[in-house]
Amino acid sequence: MKQSFFKCLTICFAIFLVITGMSVFSSRVHIGFFGYVAMLVFGTLFTGTGAFLGDMFRHFTRPDLIWSSSSFETLKAKIFWLVGPQVIGWIIGFIGFQGMMRNVLGYYI
């Protein structure tokens, strides 16, 4: 459980390192040094927590048996249950991160 949380945080840190790097060199984003640090830290925490909760949900609700009428439908179901809940949790965490940056810290990205 603890190892899974750190794995989610590490992956989200790598993703937000790229996003923050792109924002630093963007001509549209001007939030200053502490804004970029807050972007990296809060983005990692919010999306990492969301992905971890999505993974916990996946482990709790993953079906033991998948009924389908075609191999393509089976492939879609297997791919969804492999990464779907984590991606949904990451997106919810990203929305929370944007709300935190905008409403609490006052940074408009």
Side-chain angles (χ1 to χ4, degrees):
M1 181 79 79
K2 185 187 267 188
Q3 185 180 15
S4 177
F5 182 66
F6 287 122
K7 180 179 169 184
C8 288
L9 280 180
T10 304
I11 292 169
C12 290
F13 177 78
I15 291 170
F16 259 89
L17 194 61
V18 171
I19 291 173
T20 304
M22 290 171 53
S23 297
V24 166
F25 296 110
S26 172
S27 62
R28 295 183 58 201
V29 180
H30 303 288
I31 58 176
F33 175 75
F34 290 111
Y36 294 123
V37 170
M39 183 179 187
L40 181 63
V41 170
F42 289 121
T44 300
L45 289 176
F46 276 71
T47 58
T49 303
F52 176 70
L53 292 175
D55 189 47
M56 285 179 46
F57 179 77
R58 178 182 72 95
H59 283 299
F60 181 71
T61 60
R62 184 175 181 183
D64 293 331
L65 186 62
I66 297 174
W67 295 92
S68 63
S69 59
S70 68
S71 60
F72 186 68
E73 190 177 325
T74 305
L75 179 67
K76 286 191 317 185
K78 285 186 175 250
I79 288 174
F80 173 77
W81 284 109
L82 184 65
V83 295
Q86 294 95 320
V87 171
I88 293 169
W90 190 91
I91 291 171
I92 292 170
F94 187 77
I95 292 169
F97 153 73
Q98 285 184 326
M100 170 78 171
M101 291 292 284
R102 179 169 290 166
N103 299 327
V104 176
L105 300 178
Y107 294 120
Y108 291 93
I109 300 172

